[in-house]
Amino acid sequence: MGYSAEIYELAEGELEKRRLRSEQALEKRRSLLYARSPRAAELERQIAKTSVAAAKEVFGGADLHSRLEELKRENLSLQKELETILTGFGFPQNFLDPWYTCPQCRDRGDVDGKMCSCMRALLRQFSYDQLNKISPLSLSDFESFSLDYYSKAPAGDARQSPNAHMTAVLGFCKKYARTFSTASRSLLFQGPPGLGKTHLSLAVAKELIDRGFGVIYVSAPALLTKLAKETMSFDYREPSSNTEQLLSECDLLILDDLGTEFSSKFTVSAIYQLFNTRMILSKPTIISTNLTLHELQDKYNPRIISRIIGSLDRVEFVGTDIRQLKRRQKRQTANDQ
Ligand SMILES: [Zn+2]
């Protein structure tokens, strides 16, 4: 699945650490045993020697079957003696084997050329970490999204109540996450602040990460600050950042709060380039914004905005600001008490 090179490096680094840890732990157990039983050290050496000798017989193609059988017998009896020593000390039979975190792949990340489940779990974990590093928010889920805050009475001349509308939006987002593929459409979450746009985009992110997709969630102001900093820094000791590559190649990019960032020539061109690259690569993106189409056109170049908006399916968020409702409820409870 589409993880970035950086995430792969992190996962491989973790596997290497695990292998090293199990080797170091094995050395400790070995010294402990040898201190108690010098005979065990001797037996291990003998076992290794007979194994090498047996291998030589096999590869040498010698038809000295009797010699090979003799070595095997010798090896077996040495192993038996070593086992007896281990049992005597109350140690398990695998005391002198490396204890891997994942015995299936021996902490190598693949089994018969196929990616091991432990590697998949690590990729997911590091993808989560990366996401939370860029975004200060923690991931939400669909279960914690409450429709109670949306009125059941239609507002103005709307045919549908906010509650009915948002029930459909929640269902749509769940289906989007459940059936997501890299061929999925890009979405625009649009509506005034406090109507659950961030909550639902984070819920989509969580579900996709759980399914093994590479997702990046980032707020537009945080992202543009980061990109600007990287563009301004000319430190030759720092290898060039792969933020842009990461953003272009992830399976789903969620850009939250578009329009709240400080607007400049740089931010406009950075946003346009990012979209253009993802459109060329046919990678889906979810943008959320508090601004209307007119406000977006005022803020950015109208041509750029129509190109971006034209490639997105619009999902409208309606209702009354939930944060305000919650504050009002709190005040109400405080007054009642
Ligand atoms: Zn494994």
Side-chain angles (χ1 to χ4, degrees):
M1 209 79 66
Y3 291 105
S4 68
E6 190 184 341
I7 298 284
Y8 273 101
E9 273 166 30
L10 286 168
E12 273 154 16
E14 173 59 28
L15 286 178
E16 202 179 314
K17 263 189 233 155
R18 288 178 181 180
R19 288 197 297 271
L20 200 69
R21 259 204 310 271
S22 68
E23 278 159 27
Q24 284 166 344
L26 172 60
E27 278 321 301
K28 264 195 194 151
R29 292 197 297 275
R30 197 169 259 144
S31 331
L32 180 82
L33 176 68
Y34 290 178
R36 290 192 191 183
S37 161
R39 174 65 185 154
E42 176 58 24
L43 283 168
E44 273 224 296
R45 266 196 299 278
Q46 290 292 329
I47 289 167
K49 231 164 123 183
T50 50
S51 302
V52 171
K56 270 190 187 155
E57 290 295 328
V58 173
F59 288 111
D63 45 12
L64 289 166
H65 274 290
S66 54
R67 173 70 187 134
L68 190 60
E69 286 307 313
E70 192 187 315
L71 282 168
K72 272 188 189 165
R73 264 200 306 280
E74 202 181 320
N75 190 291
L76 216 63
S77 96
L78 290 164
Q79 282 191 40
K80 279 250 166 67
E81 193 185 339
L82 187 58
E83 274 173 25
T84 314
I85 292 175
L86 289 174
T87 314
F89 287 124
F91 294 146
Q93 289 306 312
N94 66 351
F95 193 72
L96 292 169
D97 297 330
W99 296 351
Y100 293 110
T101 309
C102 175
Q104 273 91 22
C105 70
R106 302 160 66 90
D107 294 339
R108 260 140 190 95
D110 61 271
V111 183
D112 301 328
K114 276 199 186 132
M115 190 186 284
C116 183
S117 58
C118 71
M119 177 72 170
R120 262 199 294 277
L122 280 175
L123 290 170
R124 243 192 330 268
Q125 187 53 51
F126 282 114
S127 185
Y128 260 123
D129 293 351
Q130 186 112 49
L131 206 86
N132 289 324
K133 207 166 62 190
I134 307 179
S135 145
L137 295 151
S138 56
L139 294 168
S140 308
D141 52 29
F142 289 122
E143 284 66 42
S144 58
F145 186 83
S146 170
L147 287 161
D148 296 343
Y149 293 105
Y150 300 90
S151 162
K152 288 187 173 149
D157 52 2
R159 266 186 295 167
Q160 226 180 7
S161 72
N163 191 284
H165 181 91
M166 290 309 294
T167 303
V169 167
L170 175 62
F172 173 84
C173 289
K174 279 184 181 173
K175 191 177 172 201
Y176 184 85
R178 210 176 46 237
T179 58
F180 180 86
S181 76
T182 43
S184 287
R185 295 273 303 162
S186 292
L187 306 176
L188 176 69
F189 286 1
Q190 201 169 27
L195 296 180
K197 296 190 296 294
T198 300
H199 189 129
L200 285 188
S201 53
L202 284 169
V204 171
K206 184 183 184 300
E207 184 144 338
L208 294 193
I209 289 167
D210 286 344
R211 286 181 53 205
F213 285 102
V215 183
I216 293 181
Y217 166 88
V218 69
S219 78
L223 170 70
L224 289 163
T225 310
K226 189 172 164 58
L227 286 177
K229 246 190 226 157
E230 284 173 12
T231 314
M232 308 302 179
S233 84
F234 294 105
D235 194 338
Y236 64 93
R237 288 163 302 184
E238 287 279 308
S240 67
S241 138
N242 64 351
T243 304
E244 281 178 73
Q245 193 191 343
L246 215 82
L247 293 166
S248 310
E249 67 186 24
C250 64
D251 293 323
L252 177 70
L253 171 69
I254 299 178
L255 189 60
D256 201 13
D257 255 349
L258 182 74
T260 52
E261 76 285 351
F262 170 72
S263 175
S264 69
K265 246 190 181 158
F266 170 78
T267 59
V268 173
S269 103
I271 287 175
Y272 182 67
Q273 262 182 32
L274 182 57
F275 278 101
N276 212 26
T277 312
R278 288 188 64 82
M279 274 193 255
I280 291 166
L281 297 171
S282 330
K283 297 263 188 180
T285 306
I286 296 179
I287 305 177
S288 83
T289 183
N290 300 335
L291 303 184
T292 62
L293 185 59
H294 284 303
E295 287 167 334
L296 284 171
Q297 279 170 339
D298 280 348
K299 198 169 165 90
Y300 305 101
N301 178 327
R303 254 188 45 237
I304 287 179
I305 281 301
S306 17
R307 175 150 160 74
I308 293 174
I309 302 293
S311 68
L312 302 166
D313 287 350
R314 191 158 159 262
V315 181
E316 201 188 351
F317 283 64
V318 299
T320 315
D321 190 334
I322 289 169
R323 280 167 283 199
Q324 274 181 21
L325 282 178
K326 280 185 182 167
R327 273 198 293 273
R328 219 176 289 164
Q329 265 180 2
K330 247 189 214 161
R331 270 203 301 273
Q332 193 66 46
T333 331
N335 287 343
D336 291 349
Q337 278 167 356

PDB file of all heavy atoms in Angstrom, residues 253-283:
ATOM      1  N   LEU A 253      -4.953  12.563   0.916  1.00  0.00           N
ATOM      2  CA  LEU A 253      -4.503  13.770   1.617  1.00  0.00           C
ATOM      3  C   LEU A 253      -5.741  14.499   2.117  1.00  0.00           C
ATOM      4  O   LEU A 253      -6.683  14.715   1.357  1.00  0.00           O
ATOM      5  CB  LEU A 253      -3.705  14.679   0.679  1.00  0.00           C
ATOM      6  CG  LEU A 253      -3.374  16.073   1.238  1.00  0.00           C
ATOM      7  CD1 LEU A 253      -2.363  15.978   2.380  1.00  0.00           C
ATOM      8  CD2 LEU A 253      -2.831  16.993   0.148  1.00  0.00           C
ATOM      9  N   ILE A 254      -5.741  14.827   3.408  1.00  0.00           N
ATOM     10  CA  ILE A 254      -6.852  15.612   3.951  1.00  0.00           C
ATOM     11  C   ILE A 254      -6.301  16.974   4.353  1.00  0.00           C
ATOM     12  O   ILE A 254      -5.428  17.073   5.213  1.00  0.00           O
ATOM     13  CB  ILE A 254      -7.495  14.917   5.169  1.00  0.00           C
ATOM     14  CG1 ILE A 254      -8.051  13.554   4.732  1.00  0.00           C
ATOM     15  CG2 ILE A 254      -8.613  15.787   5.748  1.00  0.00           C
ATOM     16  CD1 ILE A 254      -8.657  12.742   5.842  1.00  0.00           C
ATOM     17  N   LEU A 255      -6.773  17.981   3.659  1.00  0.00           N
ATOM     18  CA  LEU A 255      -6.309  19.340   3.923  1.00  0.00           C
ATOM     19  C   LEU A 255      -7.441  20.092   4.613  1.00  0.00           C
ATOM     20  O   LEU A 255      -8.463  20.405   4.001  1.00  0.00           O
ATOM     21  CB  LEU A 255      -5.923  20.002   2.599  1.00  0.00           C
ATOM     22  CG  LEU A 255      -5.225  21.349   2.706  1.00  0.00           C
ATOM     23  CD1 LEU A 255      -3.919  21.223   3.492  1.00  0.00           C
ATOM     24  CD2 LEU A 255      -4.922  21.909   1.325  1.00  0.00           C
ATOM     25  N   ASP A 256      -7.252  20.327   5.906  1.00  0.00           N
ATOM     26  CA  ASP A 256      -8.322  20.908   6.718  1.00  0.00           C
ATOM     27  C   ASP A 256      -8.189  22.423   6.757  1.00  0.00           C
ATOM     28  O   ASP A 256      -7.078  22.953   6.700  1.00  0.00           O
ATOM     29  CB  ASP A 256      -8.232  20.329   8.139  1.00  0.00           C
ATOM     30  CG  ASP A 256      -9.558  20.466   8.883  1.00  0.00           C
ATOM     31  OD1 ASP A 256     -10.571  20.768   8.238  1.00  0.00           O
ATOM     32  OD2 ASP A 256      -9.564  20.262  10.110  1.00  0.00           O
ATOM     33  N   ASP A 257      -9.327  23.083   6.875  1.00  0.00           N
ATOM     34  CA  ASP A 257      -9.343  24.528   7.134  1.00  0.00           C
ATOM     35  C   ASP A 257      -8.701  25.367   6.039  1.00  0.00           C
ATOM     36  O   ASP A 257      -8.003  26.343   6.332  1.00  0.00           O
ATOM     37  CB  ASP A 257      -8.598  24.811   8.452  1.00  0.00           C
ATOM     38  CG  ASP A 257      -9.587  25.121   9.559  1.00  0.00           C
ATOM     39  OD1 ASP A 257     -10.779  25.312   9.227  1.00  0.00           O
ATOM     40  OD2 ASP A 257      -9.181  25.181  10.727  1.00  0.00           O
ATOM     41  N   LEU A 258      -8.933  25.003   4.789  1.00  0.00           N
ATOM     42  CA  LEU A 258      -8.381  25.804   3.697  1.00  0.00           C
ATOM     43  C   LEU A 258      -9.024  27.194   3.729  1.00  0.00           C
ATOM     44  O   LEU A 258     -10.243  27.318   3.852  1.00  0.00           O
ATOM     45  CB  LEU A 258      -8.664  25.141   2.347  1.00  0.00           C
ATOM     46  CG  LEU A 258      -8.078  25.889   1.143  1.00  0.00           C
ATOM     47  CD1 LEU A 258      -6.573  25.697   1.070  1.00  0.00           C
ATOM     48  CD2 LEU A 258      -8.717  25.438  -0.167  1.00  0.00           C
ATOM     49  N   GLY A 259      -8.193  28.211   3.633  1.00  0.00           N
ATOM     50  CA  GLY A 259      -8.723  29.570   3.646  1.00  0.00           C
ATOM     51  C   GLY A 259      -8.419  30.296   4.943  1.00  0.00           C
ATOM     52  O   GLY A 259      -8.496  31.516   4.997  1.00  0.00           O
ATOM     53  N   THR A 260      -8.060  29.533   6.013  1.00  0.00           N
ATOM     54  CA  THR A 260      -7.754  30.206   7.275  1.00  0.00           C
ATOM     55  C   THR A 260      -6.275  30.580   7.333  1.00  0.00           C
ATOM     56  O   THR A 260      -5.852  31.321   8.209  1.00  0.00           O
ATOM     57  CB  THR A 260      -8.080  29.324   8.493  1.00  0.00           C
ATOM     58  OG1 THR A 260      -7.440  28.072   8.303  1.00  0.00           O
ATOM     59  CG2 THR A 260      -9.570  29.120   8.642  1.00  0.00           C
ATOM     60  N   GLU A 261      -5.474  30.034   6.383  1.00  0.00           N
ATOM     61  CA  GLU A 261      -4.039  30.324   6.412  1.00  0.00           C
ATOM     62  C   GLU A 261      -3.770  31.740   5.900  1.00  0.00           C
ATOM     63  O   GLU A 261      -4.598  32.321   5.207  1.00  0.00           O
ATOM     64  CB  GLU A 261      -3.259  29.289   5.581  1.00  0.00           C
ATOM     65  CG  GLU A 261      -3.346  29.450   4.077  1.00  0.00           C
ATOM     66  CD  GLU A 261      -4.677  28.999   3.505  1.00  0.00           C
ATOM     67  OE1 GLU A 261      -5.484  28.403   4.230  1.00  0.00           O
ATOM     68  OE2 GLU A 261      -4.919  29.263   2.315  1.00  0.00           O
ATOM     69  N   PHE A 262      -2.611  32.244   6.253  1.00  0.00           N
ATOM     70  CA  PHE A 262      -2.186  33.544   5.758  1.00  0.00           C
ATOM     71  C   PHE A 262      -1.976  33.419   4.254  1.00  0.00           C
ATOM     72  O   PHE A 262      -1.262  32.532   3.793  1.00  0.00           O
ATOM     73  CB  PHE A 262      -0.892  33.946   6.474  1.00  0.00           C
ATOM     74  CG  PHE A 262      -0.238  35.147   5.870  1.00  0.00           C
ATOM     75  CD1 PHE A 262      -0.805  36.405   6.032  1.00  0.00           C
ATOM     76  CD2 PHE A 262       0.929  35.027   5.131  1.00  0.00           C
ATOM     77  CE1 PHE A 262      -0.210  37.512   5.467  1.00  0.00           C
ATOM     78  CE2 PHE A 262       1.532  36.132   4.573  1.00  0.00           C
ATOM     79  CZ  PHE A 262       0.961  37.378   4.735  1.00  0.00           C
ATOM     80  N   SER A 263      -2.642  34.259   3.492  1.00  0.00           N
ATOM     81  CA  SER A 263      -2.567  34.118   2.043  1.00  0.00           C
ATOM     82  C   SER A 263      -1.449  34.975   1.452  1.00  0.00           C
ATOM     83  O   SER A 263      -1.332  36.151   1.754  1.00  0.00           O
ATOM     84  CB  SER A 263      -3.913  34.533   1.445  1.00  0.00           C
ATOM     85  OG  SER A 263      -3.823  34.523   0.050  1.00  0.00           O
ATOM     86  N   SER A 264      -0.636  34.337   0.627  1.00  0.00           N
ATOM     87  CA  SER A 264       0.421  35.071  -0.056  1.00  0.00           C
ATOM     88  C   SER A 264       0.638  34.402  -1.406  1.00  0.00           C
ATOM     89  O   SER A 264       0.035  33.365  -1.677  1.00  0.00           O
ATOM     90  CB  SER A 264       1.708  34.998   0.756  1.00  0.00           C
ATOM     91  OG  SER A 264       2.199  33.675   0.722  1.00  0.00           O
ATOM     92  N   LYS A 265       1.497  34.996  -2.228  1.00  0.00           N
ATOM     93  CA  LYS A 265       1.807  34.382  -3.523  1.00  0.00           C
ATOM     94  C   LYS A 265       2.317  32.958  -3.297  1.00  0.00           C
ATOM     95  O   LYS A 265       1.981  32.037  -4.034  1.00  0.00           O
ATOM     96  CB  LYS A 265       2.890  35.208  -4.222  1.00  0.00           C
ATOM     97  CG  LYS A 265       2.371  35.871  -5.471  1.00  0.00           C
ATOM     98  CD  LYS A 265       3.519  36.459  -6.251  1.00  0.00           C
ATOM     99  CE  LYS A 265       2.947  37.143  -7.478  1.00  0.00           C
ATOM    100  NZ  LYS A 265       3.842  38.149  -8.022  1.00  0.00           N
ATOM    101  N   PHE A 266       3.132  32.817  -2.233  1.00  0.00           N
ATOM    102  CA  PHE A 266       3.717  31.510  -1.951  1.00  0.00           C
ATOM    103  C   PHE A 266       2.656  30.459  -1.625  1.00  0.00           C
ATOM    104  O   PHE A 266       2.647  29.373  -2.172  1.00  0.00           O
ATOM    105  CB  PHE A 266       4.726  31.596  -0.801  1.00  0.00           C
ATOM    106  CG  PHE A 266       5.167  30.238  -0.332  1.00  0.00           C
ATOM    107  CD1 PHE A 266       6.113  29.506  -1.046  1.00  0.00           C
ATOM    108  CD2 PHE A 266       4.587  29.650   0.794  1.00  0.00           C
ATOM    109  CE1 PHE A 266       6.483  28.243  -0.644  1.00  0.00           C
ATOM    110  CE2 PHE A 266       4.954  28.378   1.202  1.00  0.00           C
ATOM    111  CZ  PHE A 266       5.906  27.675   0.482  1.00  0.00           C
ATOM    112  N   THR A 267       1.707  30.821  -0.724  1.00  0.00           N
ATOM    113  CA  THR A 267       0.710  29.829  -0.309  1.00  0.00           C
ATOM    114  C   THR A 267      -0.175  29.427  -1.490  1.00  0.00           C
ATOM    115  O   THR A 267      -0.491  28.252  -1.656  1.00  0.00           O
ATOM    116  CB  THR A 267      -0.181  30.342   0.847  1.00  0.00           C
ATOM    117  OG1 THR A 267      -0.848  31.532   0.427  1.00  0.00           O
ATOM    118  CG2 THR A 267       0.608  30.629   2.092  1.00  0.00           C
ATOM    119  N   VAL A 268      -0.545  30.400  -2.306  1.00  0.00           N
ATOM    120  CA  VAL A 268      -1.399  30.096  -3.458  1.00  0.00           C
ATOM    121  C   VAL A 268      -0.695  29.129  -4.399  1.00  0.00           C
ATOM    122  O   VAL A 268      -1.267  28.122  -4.839  1.00  0.00           O
ATOM    123  CB  VAL A 268      -1.806  31.394  -4.191  1.00  0.00           C
ATOM    124  CG1 VAL A 268      -2.551  31.063  -5.469  1.00  0.00           C
ATOM    125  CG2 VAL A 268      -2.674  32.267  -3.289  1.00  0.00           C
ATOM    126  N   SER A 269       0.580  29.396  -4.678  1.00  0.00           N
ATOM    127  CA  SER A 269       1.262  28.528  -5.628  1.00  0.00           C
ATOM    128  C   SER A 269       1.558  27.163  -5.006  1.00  0.00           C
ATOM    129  O   SER A 269       1.506  26.138  -5.683  1.00  0.00           O
ATOM    130  CB  SER A 269       2.528  29.203  -6.163  1.00  0.00           C
ATOM    131  OG  SER A 269       3.668  28.683  -5.550  1.00  0.00           O
ATOM    132  N   ALA A 270       1.812  27.133  -3.695  1.00  0.00           N
ATOM    133  CA  ALA A 270       2.072  25.844  -3.022  1.00  0.00           C
ATOM    134  C   ALA A 270       0.829  24.964  -3.078  1.00  0.00           C
ATOM    135  O   ALA A 270       0.911  23.772  -3.387  1.00  0.00           O
ATOM    136  CB  ALA A 270       2.492  26.077  -1.579  1.00  0.00           C
ATOM    137  N   ILE A 271      -0.333  25.571  -2.810  1.00  0.00           N
ATOM    138  CA  ILE A 271      -1.577  24.805  -2.824  1.00  0.00           C
ATOM    139  C   ILE A 271      -1.876  24.315  -4.239  1.00  0.00           C
ATOM    140  O   ILE A 271      -2.211  23.153  -4.462  1.00  0.00           O
ATOM    141  CB  ILE A 271      -2.753  25.666  -2.292  1.00  0.00           C
ATOM    142  CG1 ILE A 271      -2.607  25.812  -0.785  1.00  0.00           C
ATOM    143  CG2 ILE A 271      -4.100  25.040  -2.630  1.00  0.00           C
ATOM    144  CD1 ILE A 271      -3.611  26.733  -0.157  1.00  0.00           C
ATOM    145  N   TYR A 272      -1.691  25.200  -5.205  1.00  0.00           N
ATOM    146  CA  TYR A 272      -1.984  24.822  -6.579  1.00  0.00           C
ATOM    147  C   TYR A 272      -1.083  23.670  -7.036  1.00  0.00           C
ATOM    148  O   TYR A 272      -1.550  22.694  -7.623  1.00  0.00           O
ATOM    149  CB  TYR A 272      -1.840  26.018  -7.517  1.00  0.00           C
ATOM    150  CG  TYR A 272      -2.185  25.631  -8.933  1.00  0.00           C
ATOM    151  CD1 TYR A 272      -3.493  25.278  -9.264  1.00  0.00           C
ATOM    152  CD2 TYR A 272      -1.204  25.567  -9.913  1.00  0.00           C
ATOM    153  CE1 TYR A 272      -3.817  24.875 -10.536  1.00  0.00           C
ATOM    154  CE2 TYR A 272      -1.524  25.170 -11.199  1.00  0.00           C
ATOM    155  CZ  TYR A 272      -2.826  24.818 -11.506  1.00  0.00           C
ATOM    156  OH  TYR A 272      -3.149  24.415 -12.762  1.00  0.00           O
ATOM    157  N   GLN A 273       0.206  23.789  -6.737  1.00  0.00           N
ATOM    158  CA  GLN A 273       1.152  22.744  -7.156  1.00  0.00           C
ATOM    159  C   GLN A 273       0.797  21.396  -6.555  1.00  0.00           C
ATOM    160  O   GLN A 273       0.829  20.371  -7.231  1.00  0.00           O
ATOM    161  CB  GLN A 273       2.557  23.129  -6.708  1.00  0.00           C
ATOM    162  CG  GLN A 273       3.355  23.784  -7.820  1.00  0.00           C
ATOM    163  CD  GLN A 273       4.751  24.107  -7.339  1.00  0.00           C
ATOM    164  OE1 GLN A 273       5.303  23.390  -6.506  1.00  0.00           O
ATOM    165  NE2 GLN A 273       5.310  25.183  -7.837  1.00  0.00           N
ATOM    166  N   LEU A 274       0.451  21.435  -5.278  1.00  0.00           N
ATOM    167  CA  LEU A 274       0.110  20.200  -4.576  1.00  0.00           C
ATOM    168  C   LEU A 274      -1.090  19.519  -5.237  1.00  0.00           C
ATOM    169  O   LEU A 274      -1.087  18.322  -5.514  1.00  0.00           O
ATOM    170  CB  LEU A 274      -0.186  20.538  -3.114  1.00  0.00           C
ATOM    171  CG  LEU A 274      -0.525  19.389  -2.183  1.00  0.00           C
ATOM    172  CD1 LEU A 274       0.588  18.358  -2.175  1.00  0.00           C
ATOM    173  CD2 LEU A 274      -0.749  19.914  -0.773  1.00  0.00           C
ATOM    174  N   PHE A 275      -2.130  20.318  -5.524  1.00  0.00           N
ATOM    175  CA  PHE A 275      -3.317  19.754  -6.165  1.00  0.00           C
ATOM    176  C   PHE A 275      -3.046  19.251  -7.547  1.00  0.00           C
ATOM    177  O   PHE A 275      -3.507  18.184  -7.942  1.00  0.00           O
ATOM    178  CB  PHE A 275      -4.445  20.778  -6.200  1.00  0.00           C
ATOM    179  CG  PHE A 275      -5.122  20.777  -4.904  1.00  0.00           C
ATOM    180  CD1 PHE A 275      -4.860  21.749  -3.988  1.00  0.00           C
ATOM    181  CD2 PHE A 275      -5.948  19.721  -4.576  1.00  0.00           C
ATOM    182  CE1 PHE A 275      -5.437  21.699  -2.761  1.00  0.00           C
ATOM    183  CE2 PHE A 275      -6.531  19.670  -3.336  1.00  0.00           C
ATOM    184  CZ  PHE A 275      -6.272  20.678  -2.424  1.00  0.00           C
ATOM    185  N   ASN A 276      -2.287  20.038  -8.270  1.00  0.00           N
ATOM    186  CA  ASN A 276      -1.974  19.670  -9.637  1.00  0.00           C
ATOM    187  C   ASN A 276      -1.270  18.311  -9.663  1.00  0.00           C
ATOM    188  O   ASN A 276      -1.650  17.429 -10.433  1.00  0.00           O
ATOM    189  CB  ASN A 276      -1.097  20.745 -10.259  1.00  0.00           C
ATOM    190  CG  ASN A 276      -1.373  20.866 -11.731  1.00  0.00           C
ATOM    191  OD1 ASN A 276      -2.479  20.542 -12.182  1.00  0.00           O
ATOM    192  ND2 ASN A 276      -0.388  21.318 -12.473  1.00  0.00           N
ATOM    193  N   THR A 277      -0.269  18.155  -8.799  1.00  0.00           N
ATOM    194  CA  THR A 277       0.474  16.899  -8.754  1.00  0.00           C
ATOM    195  C   THR A 277      -0.451  15.739  -8.409  1.00  0.00           C
ATOM    196  O   THR A 277      -0.423  14.697  -9.049  1.00  0.00           O
ATOM    197  CB  THR A 277       1.608  16.977  -7.707  1.00  0.00           C
ATOM    198  OG1 THR A 277       2.310  18.187  -7.906  1.00  0.00           O
ATOM    199  CG2 THR A 277       2.548  15.808  -7.821  1.00  0.00           C
ATOM    200  N   ARG A 278      -1.290  15.955  -7.409  1.00  0.00           N
ATOM    201  CA  ARG A 278      -2.180  14.861  -7.002  1.00  0.00           C
ATOM    202  C   ARG A 278      -3.215  14.553  -8.090  1.00  0.00           C
ATOM    203  O   ARG A 278      -3.598  13.399  -8.282  1.00  0.00           O
ATOM    204  CB  ARG A 278      -2.847  15.163  -5.656  1.00  0.00           C
ATOM    205  CG  ARG A 278      -1.860  15.069  -4.492  1.00  0.00           C
ATOM    206  CD  ARG A 278      -2.517  15.176  -3.135  1.00  0.00           C
ATOM    207  NE  ARG A 278      -3.439  14.071  -2.843  1.00  0.00           N
ATOM    208  CZ  ARG A 278      -3.077  12.880  -2.386  1.00  0.00           C
ATOM    209  NH1 ARG A 278      -1.812  12.628  -2.146  1.00  0.00           N
ATOM    210  NH2 ARG A 278      -3.971  11.944  -2.143  1.00  0.00           N
ATOM    211  N   MET A 279      -3.669  15.586  -8.794  1.00  0.00           N
ATOM    212  CA  MET A 279      -4.624  15.351  -9.885  1.00  0.00           C
ATOM    213  C   MET A 279      -3.966  14.540 -10.988  1.00  0.00           C
ATOM    214  O   MET A 279      -4.567  13.611 -11.516  1.00  0.00           O
ATOM    215  CB  MET A 279      -5.134  16.684 -10.429  1.00  0.00           C
ATOM    216  CG  MET A 279      -6.338  17.225  -9.659  1.00  0.00           C
ATOM    217  SD  MET A 279      -7.126  18.567 -10.569  1.00  0.00           S
ATOM    218  CE  MET A 279      -6.584  19.977  -9.662  1.00  0.00           C
ATOM    219  N   ILE A 280      -2.718  14.888 -11.313  1.00  0.00           N
ATOM    220  CA  ILE A 280      -1.997  14.162 -12.367  1.00  0.00           C
ATOM    221  C   ILE A 280      -1.812  12.703 -11.951  1.00  0.00           C
ATOM    222  O   ILE A 280      -1.953  11.789 -12.753  1.00  0.00           O
ATOM    223  CB  ILE A 280      -0.637  14.845 -12.666  1.00  0.00           C
ATOM    224  CG1 ILE A 280      -0.875  16.199 -13.331  1.00  0.00           C
ATOM    225  CG2 ILE A 280       0.243  13.960 -13.543  1.00  0.00           C
ATOM    226  CD1 ILE A 280       0.337  17.104 -13.364  1.00  0.00           C
ATOM    227  N   LEU A 281      -1.508  12.489 -10.670  1.00  0.00           N
ATOM    228  CA  LEU A 281      -1.296  11.129 -10.164  1.00  0.00           C
ATOM    229  C   LEU A 281      -2.628  10.421  -9.866  1.00  0.00           C
ATOM    230  O   LEU A 281      -2.634   9.279  -9.410  1.00  0.00           O
ATOM    231  CB  LEU A 281      -0.453  11.164  -8.888  1.00  0.00           C
ATOM    232  CG  LEU A 281       0.981  11.698  -8.993  1.00  0.00           C
ATOM    233  CD1 LEU A 281       1.597  11.864  -7.611  1.00  0.00           C
ATOM    234  CD2 LEU A 281       1.856  10.767  -9.833  1.00  0.00           C
ATOM    235  N   SER A 282      -3.760  11.095 -10.118  1.00  0.00           N
ATOM    236  CA  SER A 282      -5.113  10.621  -9.769  1.00  0.00           C
ATOM    237  C   SER A 282      -5.181  10.120  -8.335  1.00  0.00           C
ATOM    238  O   SER A 282      -5.592   8.989  -8.083  1.00  0.00           O
ATOM    239  CB  SER A 282      -5.622   9.506 -10.669  1.00  0.00           C
ATOM    240  OG  SER A 282      -5.118   9.577 -11.926  1.00  0.00           O
ATOM    241  N   LYS A 283      -4.729  10.949  -7.417  1.00  0.00           N
ATOM    242  CA  LYS A 283      -4.803  10.587  -5.992  1.00  0.00           C
ATOM    243  C   LYS A 283      -5.892  11.430  -5.342  1.00  0.00           C
ATOM    244  O   LYS A 283      -5.912  12.651  -5.497  1.00  0.00           O
ATOM    245  CB  LYS A 283      -3.462  10.901  -5.311  1.00  0.00           C
ATOM    246  CG  LYS A 283      -2.300  10.102  -5.861  1.00  0.00           C
ATOM    247  CD  LYS A 283      -2.052   8.919  -4.991  1.00  0.00           C
ATOM    248  CE  LYS A 283      -0.773   8.205  -5.407  1.00  0.00           C
ATOM    249  NZ  LYS A 283      -0.512   7.051  -4.573  1.00  0.00           N
TER     250      LYS A 283
END
